[in-house]
Amino acid sequence: MELRDAAAMGLACLDLTNLNDDCTEEDVFALCERALTPHGNTAAVCIWPRFVKAARSKLRTTGVRVATVVNFPSGMEAIEGVIDMTRQAVADGADEIDLVVPYPLLMEGQTHQITAATARVKEAAGQARVKTILETGVLGEAELIRAAAEEALEGGADFLKTSTGKVSVNATLQAARILLEAIRDSGDPVGLKPAGGIRTTEDAAAYLDLCAEIMGEDWVSPTTFRIGASGVLSAFLATLDGNAAPTVGSGY
């Protein structure tokens, strides 16, 4: 894919993210402002649950969706608390719930826990989309990543998301390929969200090309593909403006 086309598509499919531990309401308002660009708006902002109401008030008429995280980042919080947080986030105006599934249990050989957690959060979320975070960089082995994907799909996930962005290995093309193949083989209308470590237009283009290879040229849209990132927005805008890419740092 041409870089300018990748930047335009990447921008439209971007979940502009601030999940920093020191995030403030002012930071969230600034994030919401960044989501509204001269080249179009991002798909969503992704923020902590305590900021959903503030983000919704800022973005109400823009078409930018509000996403938040639950069971984050460990995947091992008590399920009743996760359900309560999901319901509160939706009541506050969240359009999308990014759920960290209990992937450590799968690594311990406990099957179907991801399916059960996904199904319960999906029910609690109502009309909100549920993106299941599988933490593929920790799962590591292709067989475990595929098993996690299949369990999340069985539980009714709307998206498969690679990572929290809080571990040493986050989104990779290898993991994304496994998730896309699981989506393709399921036949379900489920999306993909690579997250963490995507910092350049070239990075985004590689994922877009992978989607085209496995799912078809016309598959990618904001309803089927998201990028979880913060710094990559500057790269997209530079590409679209015809400028040199900015220096990027580490982080989500």
Side-chain angles (χ1 to χ4, degrees):
M1 178 177 287
E2 295 292 331
L3 284 185
R4 186 175 178 84
D5 293 337
M9 181 60 75
L11 173 62
C13 295
L14 179 61
D15 283 5
L16 190 62
T17 300
N18 188 333
L19 294 171
N20 296 334
D21 292 337
D22 61 355
C23 183
T24 66
E25 188 171 280
E26 289 73 22
D27 293 330
V28 169
F29 286 146
L31 190 77
C32 293
E33 290 288 347
R34 289 187 65 214
L36 312 175
T37 87
H39 294 285
N41 298 343
T42 68
V45 297
C46 187
I47 43 142
W48 293 108
R50 63 184 178 273
F51 298 124
V52 166
K53 192 174 292 186
R56 169 54 60 212
S57 69
K58 191 75 171 177
L59 296 171
R60 191 172 302 279
T61 62
T62 66
V64 177
R65 301 172 74 84
V66 176
T68 194
V69 292
V70 298
N71 209 18
F72 187 96
S74 71
M76 292 297 289
E77 296 177 17
I79 188 62
E80 294 305 329
V82 175
I83 296 300
D84 289 344
M85 184 172 289
T86 299
R87 288 174 176 153
Q88 186 61 57
V90 172
D92 287 345
D95 301 295
E96 299 173 352
I97 302 295
D98 287 26
L99 161 72
V100 184
V101 300
Y103 66 91
L105 298 181
L106 180 64
M107 299 175 73
E108 295 171 2
Q110 298 186 46
T111 59
H112 305 300
Q113 298 298 319
I114 291 174
T115 297
T118 301
R120 292 202 62 187
V121 171
K122 177 75 174 171
E123 181 180 13
Q127 296 301 307
R129 289 177 179 163
V130 174
K131 307 193 201 88
T132 48
I133 306 173
L134 307 182
E135 205 67 289
T136 55
V138 176
L139 291 175
E141 298 176 7
E143 293 80 5
L144 279 177
I145 295 171
R146 177 72 186 221
E150 290 178 350
E151 286 202 23
L153 291 167
E154 185 178 348
D158 296 301
F159 271 75
L160 301 182
K161 178 177 173 180
T162 59
S163 323
T164 61
K166 299 290 188 181
V167 295
S168 58
V169 177
N170 292 293
T172 67
L173 289 168
Q174 293 86 349
R177 177 178 291 277
I178 295 168
L179 301 190
L180 285 168
E181 289 173 348
I183 292 168
R184 178 198 63 196
D185 295 347
S186 75
D188 296 329
V190 174
L192 172 72
K193 181 178 174 180
I198 301 169
R199 302 187 181 97
T200 68
T201 303
E202 290 83 357
D203 290 341
Y207 285 96
L208 291 167
D209 287 341
L210 182 65
C211 289
E213 173 194 337
I214 296 174
M215 305 300 292
E217 293 288 341
D218 298 325
W219 183 76
V220 168
S221 76
T223 62
T224 57
F225 181 76
R226 299 289 180 84
I227 295 171
S230 53
V232 75
L233 176 60
S234 297
F236 289 157
L237 295 177
T239 300
L240 292 168
D241 287 335
N243 297 328
T247 301
V248 294
S250 60
Y252 204 103

